[in-house]
């Protein structure tokens, strides 16, 4: 295929996609000559960086159109290439639109006001320095607007910066970590229990420009979002999970808040659950349930102790029964203990031999 045929095919592709046949500024069309392989020609459409586009300009991906002898494949490839060409054009248009930049320019009135302000500063120098020189602290940044437009270069600070008093306005943003209490939220848990939960949120501003231009009041918006996020997260938990999985709930809230406040230039660093308040009747019911459970465990433990003591006494009785003198010694030891603890008790010693006639003989004795 000759170069003229390639040009005609590219023009047909551009006309079929309703796009201009001339590439926009910053986009070049490179036609590969002599790159045929097995009867296939390659047409590469690439993008070069537009001068002055900055970081917002991203080159469009290369577009390759393979043309062969098959008319069906050729038509499908041309249609696909036309769609890709439209996407590249849309990307080029988006790249040319800067955030906060009016394509029409500031206008002649803005230039006149700016020139008049600078002349006024020069005429009142050095008195104008009192109004032009500003200082922000290490933990602060200043976002400057000139005639309502966001000034290029981002936020100023820390240290000294200059403004034009007549046409510039600025707003200071504190970059330090801010903490606030989330008011107690009445929440109905998944098992239909009403609880009141409050929390503490720690956040900071990581992009002052976005925090000023994208949201009216980032602090108030973050507080409202924290309250609603707390209700949404705890509404999916049972009462037992709310009481035992506080760290998991805090981490889930922190992730949700951080993702939602990122377009506002706010970074949520930490979320902590402070207190979970239960209704008084529910507290009494839970206390009664816990007390009953403790009493049941105490009875079980006491029964196990009695069982172990009976086994021990049985073993002791078997040992004492093997020696007649051991029982007499145990009897004397008991008398000694009683006389030491209770001196007012009168004890009448009774020989053990008298009681032998009243004790039934064991089966071993009969044998």
């Amino acid at each position: 295929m000759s170069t003229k045929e390639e040009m005609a095919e590219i023009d047909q592709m551009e006309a079929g996609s309703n796009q201009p046949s001339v590439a926009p500024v910053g986009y070049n069309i490179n036609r590969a000559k002599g790159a045929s392989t097995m009867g296939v020609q390659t047409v590469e459409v690439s993008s070069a960086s537009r001068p002055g586009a900055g970081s917002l300009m991203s080159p469009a991906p290369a577009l390759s159109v393979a043309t062969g002898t098959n008319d069906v494949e050729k038509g499908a490839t041309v249609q696909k290439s036309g769609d890709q060409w439209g996407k590249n054009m849309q990307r080029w248009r988006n790249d040319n639109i800067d955030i906060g930049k009016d394509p029409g320019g500031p206008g002649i009135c803005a230039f006149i006001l700016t020139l008049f302000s600078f002349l006024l500063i020069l005429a009142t120098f050095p008195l104008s320095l009192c109004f032009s020189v500003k200082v922000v602290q290490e933990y602060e940044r200043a976002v400057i607007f000139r005639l309502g437009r966001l000034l290029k270069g981002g936020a100023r600070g820390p240290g000294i910066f200059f403004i034009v008093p007549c046409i510039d306005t600025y707003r200071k943003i504190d970059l330090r970590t801010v903490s606030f209490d989330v008011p107690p939220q009445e929440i109905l848990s998944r098992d239909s229990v009403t609880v009141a939960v409050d929390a503490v949120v720690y956040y900071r501003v990581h992009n002052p420009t976005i925090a000023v231009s994208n949201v009216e009041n980032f602090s108030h918006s973050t507080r409202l979002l924290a309250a609603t996020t707390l209700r949404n997260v705890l509404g999916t938990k049972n009462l037992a999970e709310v009481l035992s999985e506080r760290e998991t709930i805090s981490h889930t809230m922190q992730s949700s808040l951080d993702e939602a406040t990122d377009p506002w230039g706010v970074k949520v660093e930490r979320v902590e659950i402070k207190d979970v308040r239960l209704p008084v009747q529910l507290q009494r019911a839970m206390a009664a349930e816990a007390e009953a459970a403790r009493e049941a465990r105490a009875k079980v433990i006491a029964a196990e102790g009695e069982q172990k003591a009976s086994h021990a006494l049985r073993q002791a009785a078997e040992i004492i029964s093997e020696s007649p003198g051991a029982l007499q010694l145990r009897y004397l030891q008991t008398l000694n203990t009683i006389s030491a603890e209770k001196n007012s008790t009168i004890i009448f010693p009774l020989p053990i031999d008298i009681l032998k006639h009243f004790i039934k003989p064991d089966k071993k004795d009969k044998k």
Side-chain angles (χ1 to χ4, degrees):
M1 183 183 293
S2 62
T3 305
K4 293 183 179 181
E5 293 177 355
E6 289 183 14
M7 293 291 294
E9 184 178 353
I10 293 298
D11 295 338
Q12 182 182 0
M13 179 185 66
E14 294 172 354
S17 59
N18 295 325
Q19 300 296 338
S21 59
V22 181
V25 178
Y27 283 75
N28 299 325
I29 299 177
N30 299 326
R31 295 176 173 83
K33 297 180 180 180
S36 61
T37 303
M38 296 181 65
V40 177
Q41 293 287 342
T42 302
V43 180
E44 296 182 355
V45 181
S46 61
S47 62
S49 59
R50 179 174 58 84
S55 60
L56 292 175
M57 181 62 192
S58 59
L63 173 64
S64 298
V65 180
T67 60
T69 57
N70 194 337
D71 295 338
V72 178
E73 295 179 357
K74 179 178 178 180
T77 306
V78 170
Q79 183 179 2
K80 182 178 180 181
S81 302
D83 297 340
Q84 187 67 27
W85 178 273
K87 293 180 181 179
N88 292 339
M89 286 293 296
Q90 184 64 32
R91 178 178 295 179
W92 175 80
R93 294 190 188 98
N94 296 336
D95 291 342
N96 281 323
I97 299 176
D98 295 337
I99 298 176
K101 181 178 179 181
D102 188 4
I108 188 64
C109 295
F111 286 112
I112 294 174
L113 290 176
T114 304
L115 180 60
F116 177 76
S117 300
F118 279 105
L119 292 177
L120 184 61
I121 291 175
L122 294 176
T124 58
F125 188 82
L127 183 62
S128 59
L129 293 178
C130 299
F131 302 94
S132 299
V133 179
K134 302 295 179 181
V135 179
V136 291
Q137 303 297 330
E138 181 69 28
Y139 51 85
E140 293 178 335
R141 297 295 183 270
V143 181
I144 304 176
F145 293 88
R146 177 163 296 174
L147 293 175
R149 298 170 179 270
L150 186 62
L151 202 62
K152 295 181 179 180
R156 303 297 193 272
I160 299 175
F161 65 96
F162 297 89
I163 64 171
V164 181
C166 299
I167 60 176
D168 286 355
T169 58
Y170 71 96
R171 181 179 172 184
K172 290 183 180 180
I173 301 297
D174 197 333
L175 301 184
R176 293 177 294 183
T177 299
V178 180
S179 62
F180 64 89
D181 294 331
V182 180
Q185 304 293 317
E186 293 286 341
I187 300 167
L188 184 64
S189 62
R190 192 169 63 180
D191 52 353
S192 301
V193 177
T194 303
V195 293
V197 183
D198 55 353
V200 183
V201 179
Y202 301 85
Y203 75 94
R204 61 179 176 86
V205 178
H206 70 88
N207 193 328
T209 304
I210 297 179
V212 173
S213 60
N214 285 14
V215 63
E216 180 181 2
N217 189 339
F218 64 88
S219 177
H220 183 64
S221 300
T222 304
R223 294 171 187 268
L224 294 179
L225 184 61
T228 56
T229 304
L230 179 62
R231 297 175 67 91
N232 294 336
V233 172
L234 294 181
T236 61
K237 304 292 183 180
N238 295 327
L239 178 60
E241 295 175 350
V242 172
L243 297 175
S244 61
E245 299 180 0
R246 294 192 178 187
E247 293 186 0
T248 304
I249 296 173
S250 300
H251 181 69
T252 304
M253 282 190 59
Q254 188 268 337
S255 301
S256 301
L257 285 174
D258 190 22
E259 183 179 358
T261 57
D262 185 67
W264 303 342
V266 175
K267 170 68 176 178
V268 178
E269 297 180 341
R270 192 177 183 87
V271 178
E272 291 293 339
I273 303 296
K274 285 181 60 178
D275 189 17
V276 179
R277 302 174 185 175
L278 303 177
V280 178
Q281 295 179 354
L282 182 60
Q283 293 181 8
R284 293 176 180 174
M286 294 179 65
E289 180 183 1
E291 184 178 0
R294 287 193 296 269
E295 290 180 357
R297 288 196 299 268
K299 291 180 179 179
V300 171
I301 293 173
E304 291 178 354
E306 291 291 339
Q307 183 180 7
K308 293 179 181 179
S310 62
H311 287 293
L313 290 175
R314 179 181 178 181
Q315 294 177 359
E318 291 177 354
I319 295 174
I320 292 175
S321 63
E322 295 177 356
S323 176
L327 183 60
Q328 184 68 26
L329 293 175
R330 180 59 182 168
Y331 174 72
L332 295 176
Q333 184 180 4
T334 304
L335 292 178
N336 186 22
T337 304
I338 294 174
S339 63
E341 293 180 356
K342 299 179 181 180
N343 297 327
S344 60
T345 303
I346 300 174
I347 302 172
F348 296 94
L350 185 66
I352 299 300
D353 297 337
I354 299 175
L355 301 177
K356 287 183 179 181
H357 302 283
F358 301 97
I359 298 175
K360 295 181 181 180
D362 295 337
K363 295 180 180 181
K364 295 181 180 179
D365 298 337
K366 292 182 180 180
K367 291 180 180 180

